[in-house]
Amino acid sequence: MSPGDGTRELPSETTLVRNLKEGEAGAFEVLVRENSPRLLAVARRYLPKEADAQDAVQDAFLSAFRGMAGFTGASKLSTWLHRIVVNASLMKLRTRRRKPEVAIDDLLPRFENDASAHHLDVIAAWRETAPDELTRDENRVLVRAAIERLPDSYREVLALRDIEQLDTADVAELLGVSKGVVKTRLHRARQALRALLDPHFREGAP
Amino acid sequence: MNCREFTSFIADWLDGELPVGQAQVFQAHIAMCPPCEMYLLQYQSTVELARLCQPEDAVPGEVPEALIQAILAARPTGDGSDPTQP
Ligand SMILES: [Zn+2]
């Protein structure tokens, strides 16, 4: 099984699925080579440590290999794999969850203690956040780094809702919590992320 | 509605889930409170920026060959069926 002979044509999805179900080794290699880059990128959103993200991708493919017989073709292979890697990443995250999390309260807005409850912190204007391609790439790096700093339980909800774009009910089911908990965590995660991004996006900031 | 309450309603307002009466009070607060208006804008920018992090730009080269080989080596062999599956 040498990796370099990638000149043959890729089979259609139907053919690929049939070959996978028949246990053809070449089909598995195609599946892995085609899908692992994207799946690894997904896993990295939940698991900041590269080794953990790679483990999650490996776990996901093992589940996929085992579950192949039950794959009905109702969704695309890539969609099915995506769901499996999200699950594998969340499981890994659970086992990795170490020590008490950073207090998210430090990243939430503070208010005056009177009836007005005005903002205690100055809300300074941000520069344009959605400009040209080059700045987009820079922003992406900044935002990824900030998301990594969020406590795990907040990062996972933000990733599932705002990045994967799953709806509240699906996320609640996936995490085994109520919809109310998902909403509260998402709101707090966004506020915390805003606080982490604030120093970078203030007008005049580098 | 004070600033603390305003802030706590942002997510529901963006999802269109605030009752009409409350939504009107919410919008009235935006008009009279520049810090909250700014906070709301930045909250929306934050959601947009997070969306930028979708991995549509993943390139094949970034997956280590060792990982691919490990996955392929771990593939269950035999007839492809799994006794744990119903
Ligand atoms: Zn206000």
Side-chain angles (χ1 to χ4, degrees):
Chain A
M1 203 190 318
S2 72
D5 61 343
T7 45
R8 69 201 148 167
E9 270 183 48
L10 292 177
S12 75
E13 176 136 333
T14 330
T15 314
L16 181 62
V17 170
R18 195 180 54 230
N19 293 345
L20 285 167
K21 287 189 184 233
E22 284 167 5
E24 196 198 282
F28 282 100
E29 179 157 5
V30 169
L31 183 78
V32 173
R33 289 197 185 278
E34 283 257 285
N35 292 281
S36 53
R38 200 187 150 78
L39 297 185
L40 185 56
V42 171
R44 283 184 184 134
R45 286 207 295 264
Y46 299 89
L47 300 158
K49 279 205 189 126
E50 180 64 18
D52 289 343
Q54 293 192 13
D55 281 354
V57 170
Q58 183 160 0
D59 292 349
F61 274 111
L62 291 191
S63 313
F65 293 163
R66 279 190 221 108
M68 188 51 68
F71 177 73
T72 59
S75 57
K76 283 177 62 184
L77 259 180
S78 56
T79 312
W80 182 67
L81 287 170
H82 184 145
R83 215 172 298 140
I84 293 175
V85 84
V86 167
N87 267 315
S89 301
L90 292 175
M91 295 233 286
K92 191 104 213 151
L93 192 56
R94 298 269 147 79
T95 67
R96 281 288 172 276
R97 202 163 273 167
R98 61 282 117 151
K99 60 188 180 196
E101 297 183 326
V102 192
I104 194 152
D105 290 355
D106 297 344
L107 296 170
L108 298 179
R110 298 175 306 154
F111 302 93
E112 308 254 16
N113 247 333
D114 58 18
S116 78
H118 284 311
H119 284 273
L120 264 180
D121 306 291
V122 176
I123 315 288
W126 281 10
R127 61 181 157 86
E128 177 65 60
T129 52
D132 54 280
E133 274 303 304
L134 189 71
T135 327
R136 261 170 81 101
D137 287 343
E138 285 169 17
N139 285 352
R140 211 175 273 160
V141 172
L142 270 178
V143 175
R144 277 205 192 115
I147 291 174
E148 280 178 22
R149 290 175 60 197
L150 292 175
D152 291 343
S153 58
Y154 293 93
R155 190 176 61 246
E156 72 186 9
V157 169
L158 186 100
L160 291 166
R161 284 284 285 115
D162 284 345
I163 306 180
E164 317 274 356
Q165 311 270 311
L166 297 184
D167 66 25
T168 305
D170 286 344
V171 176
E173 198 188 321
L174 203 54
L175 299 178
V177 298
S178 69
K179 288 200 270 182
V181 167
V182 172
K183 285 185 177 188
T184 309
R185 271 193 210 160
L186 176 65
H187 184 51
R188 300 177 116 218
R190 288 165 167 178
Q191 292 183 93
L193 182 57
R194 182 215 151 265
L196 289 169
L197 294 175
D198 185 48
H200 302 286
F201 284 106
R202 284 180 176 224
E203 270 171 8
Chain B
M1 186 176 287
N2 63 34
C3 299
R4 187 197 303 274
E5 290 160 345
F6 175 90
T7 306
S8 72
F9 288 141
I10 291 176
D12 285 340
W13 183 73
L14 288 175
D15 288 341
E17 286 179 4
L18 272 194
V20 180
Q22 244 175 353
Q24 281 169 351
V25 181
F26 184 93
Q27 270 148 311
H29 189 96
I30 301 176
M32 53 161 254
C33 182
C36 279
E37 183 187 20
M38 188 81 80
Y39 192 86
L40 174 64
L41 282 174
Q42 293 176 1
Y43 185 103
Q44 288 176 289
S45 299
T46 300
V47 176
E48 283 304 313
L49 285 164
R51 202 163 290 162
L52 272 185
C53 292
Q54 282 169 342
E56 79 286 340
D57 50 352
V59 286
E62 66 176 322
V63 178
E65 186 59 28
L67 175 62
I68 290 180
Q69 292 306 329
I71 293 168
L72 292 173
R75 181 178 73 86
T77 47
D79 65 357
S81 71
D82 184 334
T84 64
Q85 294 289 317

